[in-house]
Each structure stands twice: as structure tokens, then as C-alpha cells.
Amino acid sequence: MHNVEQQHIMLALRENRLFRLIAPTHHGALANVAQRRVIPDKTTIVRKGETGDEMFALVRGRVVMTSLSPEGKELTLGYLGAGDIFGEIAMLDGGPRTANVTAIEPCEVLAFRRNAFLQFLRECPDVAINFLTLLASRLRNTDQTLEDTSLRQLPCRLARRLINLASDFGHATMGGVKIPIRLSQQDIGSMTGATRESVNRQLREWEGRGVIALEQGYITIVDHARLSSLAE
Amino acid sequence: MHNVEQQHIMLALRENRLFRLIAPTHHGALANVAQRRVIPDKTTIVRKGETGDEMFALVRGRVVMTSLSPEGKELTLGYLGAGDIFGEIAMLDGGPRTANVTAIEPCEVLAFRRNAFLQFLRECPDVAINFLTLLASRLRNTDQTLEDTSLRQLPCRLARRLINLASDFGHATMGGVKIPIRLSQQDIGSMTGATRESVNRQLREWEGRGVIALEQGYITIVDHARLSSLAE
DNA sequence: GTTGCGCTGTGATGTATCTCACAGGGGGTT
DNA sequence: AACCCCCTGTGAGATACATCACAGCGCAAC
């Protein structure tokens, strides 16, 4: 392996939520089992139902995880950014991929193959424990989302989503907290399990009440307190 | 610690899905950090929202995981039996418990506390890897359930649930595959995110068509092929 | 420019479920 | 037995959404 390439990988490892906490001593070993790849925008990296023993660490860019129902309705499971991990379920349990993952920006990833990565974990149990913690948080999130979609109705779900997006990616402006991802109402619908029409009506109503502001495809949360109370 | 007690714990470890694969050499170390507890029927072991750094391995009996909406609607996340693990999310990430876990039979559990257990994992990375695989499968399941509840409607969801229950717990009889758990229609509703009335109507319809049979609170799947096709 | 396409906005209508209401029924307990 | 409690079974609304239908609008491609 080229030394330059390996340097590049080690730099990327330092930014990753799973690896940044471990002693740089181990980065070398890890860099040896990682493969770096550049992914063009709009490329699907893993496809639901396929088999694959690779796990990916997102170094640069953003991806979206989706699932498609037999009737063609799309469900968005979430967005990931630099430092995140994906593809870990199939890598770990050997089953088929559970979702599609598609680049929504030009991306750069590190790929780890099952055997090599598990071997690394055996040598660095602290990383394994970090990984466990990461999966636990993922589980916490999906459990919460599951609860929301079965127990709450649209306005509440939508409010929660917006708050989540804002706390994950949002940054403060004079007008409030702006969500810096361009989301069509279609996209929001597929995140909340609703149609774009329903999303449209709800967003407009909130805009009318001054809870949020809509401009050029971006959403800004104006009255965070009110939105929180709508989220219960 | 009493030697008898420790023997008892080591016996229980051999039956656990997370620990049975590891060399018995390590069972001693693990038994040292485990605490055995007997839980009476209908006792709530962990409560949603509380903090707690313990994880539990179910040795004997069955428990149900539930969550309650602010308006009082209950959602059942699943049933666990001997050999299963629960409480791992809060143990790992230190956050509040994500669900209630209640005994539906007299139970016996092993409790592991965070620090001691993580220390054990550091010494037995193979267990950590098993654990990762287990969490991955859990994620796979909840992702699937999430997809079902957002994308499919009741008949399909219900069919899937029945098939799952049958494959997890069911055993064959002359009449078909019987689910040996006593479930009220209320319970089934809270598993599928529906009201008991809707469940009732659907089950009755299927009974009329000869797809399932209902007797004394137990469900038997008569025409498995038909039910599968209803599940898409 | 004009064409086309994907997004927004909004009414009219349809429908899968929930809610409410009530009538049994079975199995404990007194 | 009589009582109670929890479960089942079913009808008649109410309702949160989806679906359909169509008009406008911004913007990239031609």
C-alpha cells in the first residue's frame, strides 16, 4: 500500500466517531484493513436485499438511507454525514442489507471487510466497546422512531423530525435555527411516513402561525418553544 | 461469593445466546460479575425513563417490553424468553431506559453492571463481537418493524406478526402451527399498533376464510401459505 | 425565448382505522 | 348462586389521512 494513501486514511480515521477516541497507535493497523473510495453524487453505495460483508465509514459528503415498499412508496430512515458509519448490520450478522444508502453529495468512504475488521476488534477491544455504544444509540433512535410512528400522529411526528434535524445539523441565524439541508416536501414526507400533500398543509399552517419559516427549500425554526410543545 | 451460587450462574451462562459460544474458561470470570435474581410474575424489572447501568440475561421465564404514549396507549415492542438479553441499551450508552420490561411469568435473571461487564468484554473480545452481532440483529428487526408500520396497513402487519410469532415460539399440531402464548386481542393490537376492535375484525375474517383458527385465546395458523401471501 | 420537469399549493373525495357504545360470556371470588 | 372483571364480538359514527386532480412557478435544457 502507498504510504501517502495510508496517511490519508489515518487522517480520516481521526475524524470518525467510532475511531477518533482510540490511541493513534492503533490507527496504523486499522489503516491497513481499510480501503478508501470516492463516490460520485447520487450513487447508490449499498442496495437493500443484496449481500455484502463491508462496512463503511463516511469521510466526506452526505448519504441518505432509504427503503422502498412493494407498492413503490419510499421511506427515508435517516441522513448521515462525515464521521458516521453505515452498512454495519449486514457486516456484523452476515444477513442481507437492510436499506439502500445513496450519496446526496460527492462522498468519500472507507470500506472495511468483515474478517479483517473483526480481527482488528479482537486486538482492540476498546474499539469494540465504542462500537457497542454506537449501536446502542442507533437502537435507541430507531426504537424511539418506531414508538413515534405507531403512537403519534402527523403533526407531532413532523415537529419531532424538524427538531431532530435542527439539533443534528441546524445552525442559528437571526431568524431562528436553520436546517441547512435542502429537503423537498416529498423528502420530509418519506421521513415521517406521510404524503407530501399532508406535509405541505402542515408546514404552511405552522408558517402562518409563525412557528417556522420556509425559504427556497430550506426550513427555519422560528419559535422553537412552540414547536417543542407541539411535539408533546 | 458462595460456590453453589456461582455454579448456578455458570450453568445459566451456558444457556445464554450471548455467552454459550465462549470457552467455559471465561465463565468463571463472568460469574464473578453477575448477580442472580428471582423475579415474581407481573413484576416490572426496568421502567422507561429511569436511569440504570444494569443489563439482564433472562435465565428462566418470559418478559414483555412495552412503551406507553402520553395519552395512555400502549405499544408492545416484543416478547423475550430464556437465553435473551435486555436492558443493554441503557447499560451501554448510559442513557435512560427506552422501554418497560415486565415479567409475564416467574423469572430468573442475571444482572451485570456496566463497569464490571465492560471490563470483562475488554478481556474477552470474542464476547464483545458476539454482542455486536446480537445488537446488529436487533437493529435489523426494529428497522424491519419500523418499515412495516410506516409502509403497510393493518392486515399485512398483522399477518407478519403472526408469522413471526409462529416462527419464534410456534410448534406444529395437526391443525397447523400453534402459537403457545396466550394473547388477548388487546395485546396483539398493541404489538401491531392497532386497536383491539380492528384486530378482532381482522382475525374473525381470517378465521371465517379458514386461514387461522382461534381457540381459548390461542391462535393456530391453518393455512400458512395464504397468510404469507397476505403478508406480501 | 419556449419547452419540459420537478416542486409547491390547495380543493374535493375516498377510506382505513379509531372511537364509542353496548351485548354477551367465561372464570374467579365471595 | 350471584357478582365482578376482563375478554370477545359487532354496529354506527367520526376522523386523520391518503388519493386524485389541477394550477402555478422556478429553472435548466434546447
Side-chain angles (χ1 to χ4, degrees):
Chain A
M1 178 180 298
H2 295 311
N3 206 31
V4 191
E5 178 72 0
Q6 212 176 8
Q7 287 298 328
H8 198 121
I9 293 178
M10 285 172 72
L11 232 64
L13 290 174
R14 283 174 44 191
E15 303 299 323
N16 185 274
R17 63 194 314 149
L18 183 53
F19 305 117
R20 68 183 162 208
L21 296 172
I22 64 173
T25 335
H26 293 125
H27 281 170
L30 194 51
N32 277 326
V33 304
Q35 193 192 349
R36 190 169 144 263
R37 282 184 217 157
V38 172
I39 312 282
D41 192 12
K42 299 185 184 20
T43 311
T44 296
I45 307 167
V46 306
R47 228 171 284 270
K48 180 173 178 179
E50 286 182 352
T51 57
D53 74 340
E54 282 179 327
M55 176 182 85
F56 303 89
L58 192 49
V59 176
R60 182 174 53 84
R62 267 201 271 258
V63 299
V64 59
M65 301 181 289
T66 61
S67 183
L68 218 63
S69 84
E71 310 92 55
K73 279 198 286 193
E74 198 176 59
L75 177 68
T76 298
L77 297 164
Y79 292 85
L80 299 177
D84 283 323
I85 294 283
F86 63 91
E88 73 285 349
I89 297 182
M91 188 225 84
L92 285 166
D93 74 2
R97 316 236 71 134
T98 60
N100 306 303
V101 179
T102 307
I104 56 172
E105 295 174 5
C107 289
E108 193 185 316
V109 301
L110 301 182
F112 302 91
R113 305 208 57 188
R114 176 182 171 82
N115 285 339
F117 188 71
L118 292 189
Q119 191 48 47
F120 169 79
L121 286 184
R122 263 183 279 268
E123 282 149 26
C124 300
D126 280 327
V127 176
I129 289 174
N130 272 353
F131 202 176
L132 281 168
T133 307
L134 185 96
L135 289 192
S137 304
R138 274 251 213 297
L139 222 28
R140 180 184 292 279
N141 277 334
T142 46
D143 279 3
Q144 179 63 52
T145 308
L146 178 57
E147 198 189 308
D148 286 357
T149 58
S150 347
L151 257 30
R152 322 282 193 140
Q153 44 205 39
L154 179 57
C156 177
R157 258 150 50 209
L158 189 51
R160 280 161 174 263
R161 256 296 161 218
L162 294 181
I163 290 170
N164 274 347
L165 286 170
S167 84
D168 285 352
F169 303 106
H171 66 264
T173 67
M174 347 118 279
V177 181
K178 181 171 179 176
I179 297 169
I181 306 179
R182 184 121 214 220
L183 294 168
S184 73
Q185 295 176 352
Q186 187 66 256
D187 295 334
I188 299 173
S190 101
M191 274 198 272
T192 49
T195 58
R196 70 148 197 98
E197 290 93 329
S198 300
V199 171
N200 179 294
R201 285 182 250 260
Q202 188 59 63
L203 290 180
R204 303 247 91 219
E205 197 206 306
W206 285 341
E207 190 188 27
R209 293 161 174 275
V211 178
I212 60 172
L214 306 169
E215 17 147 26
Q216 294 147 183
Y218 294 95
I219 299 177
T220 303
I221 298 177
V222 177
D223 188 343
H224 203 289
R226 190 106 68 93
L227 194 62
S228 291
S229 85
L230 286 162
E232 230 100 322
Chain B
M1 178 179 301
H2 296 311
N3 206 29
V4 192
E5 178 73 358
Q6 213 177 10
Q7 287 298 328
H8 199 120
I9 293 179
M10 285 171 72
L11 231 64
L13 291 175
R14 282 174 45 191
E15 303 298 323
N16 186 273
R17 63 196 312 151
L18 184 52
F19 304 118
R20 68 182 162 208
L21 295 171
I22 65 175
T25 334
H26 293 125
H27 281 170
L30 194 51
N32 278 325
V33 305
Q35 193 191 349
R36 191 168 143 263
R37 282 184 216 157
V38 172
I39 312 281
D41 192 12
K42 298 187 184 22
T43 311
T44 295
I45 306 168
V46 307
R47 229 173 284 270
K48 180 173 179 180
E50 288 182 351
T51 56
D53 74 340
E54 283 179 326
M55 176 182 85
F56 302 90
L58 192 49
V59 177
R60 183 174 53 85
R62 266 201 272 257
V63 299
V64 59
M65 302 181 289
T66 60
S67 183
L68 217 63
S69 85
E71 310 93 55
K73 279 197 287 192
E74 197 176 59
L75 177 66
T76 297
L77 298 164
Y79 293 85
L80 299 178
D84 282 323
I85 294 283
F86 62 91
E88 74 285 348
I89 297 182
M91 189 227 85
L92 284 166
D93 75 1
R97 315 236 73 133
T98 59
N100 306 303
V101 179
T102 307
I104 55 172
E105 295 173 5
C107 289
E108 192 185 316
V109 301
L110 300 183
F112 303 90
R113 305 207 57 189
R114 176 182 171 82
N115 285 338
F117 188 71
L118 291 189
Q119 192 49 47
F120 170 79
L121 286 185
R122 261 183 279 269
E123 282 150 27
C124 300
D126 280 327
V127 177
I129 289 174
N130 272 353
F131 202 175
L132 281 168
T133 307
L134 185 97
L135 289 191
S137 303
R138 274 250 212 297
L139 266 172
R140 181 184 291 280
N141 276 334
T142 45
D143 280 2
Q144 178 64 52
T145 308
L146 178 57
E147 199 189 307
D148 286 357
T149 59
S150 342
L151 258 29
R152 322 282 193 139
Q153 44 205 41
L154 178 58
C156 177
R157 259 149 49 210
L158 189 51
R160 281 162 173 262
R161 256 295 161 219
L162 294 182
I163 290 169
N164 274 348
L165 286 170
S167 84
D168 285 354
F169 302 107
H171 66 263
T173 68
M174 349 121 276
V177 181
K178 181 172 179 177
I179 298 170
I181 307 179
R182 183 122 215 221
L183 295 167
S184 73
Q185 295 175 352
Q186 187 67 256
D187 295 334
I188 299 173
S190 100
M191 275 200 269
T192 48
T195 57
R196 71 148 197 98
E197 290 93 330
S198 301
V199 171
N200 180 294
R201 286 183 248 259
Q202 189 58 63
L203 289 181
R204 304 245 90 220
E205 197 206 306
W206 284 341
E207 190 188 26
R209 293 162 173 275
V211 178
I212 60 173
L214 305 169
E215 17 146 26
Q216 294 147 184
Y218 294 96
I219 299 176
T220 302
I221 298 178
V222 177
D223 188 342
H224 202 288
R226 190 107 67 93
L227 195 61
S228 291
S229 86
L230 286 162
E232 231 101 322

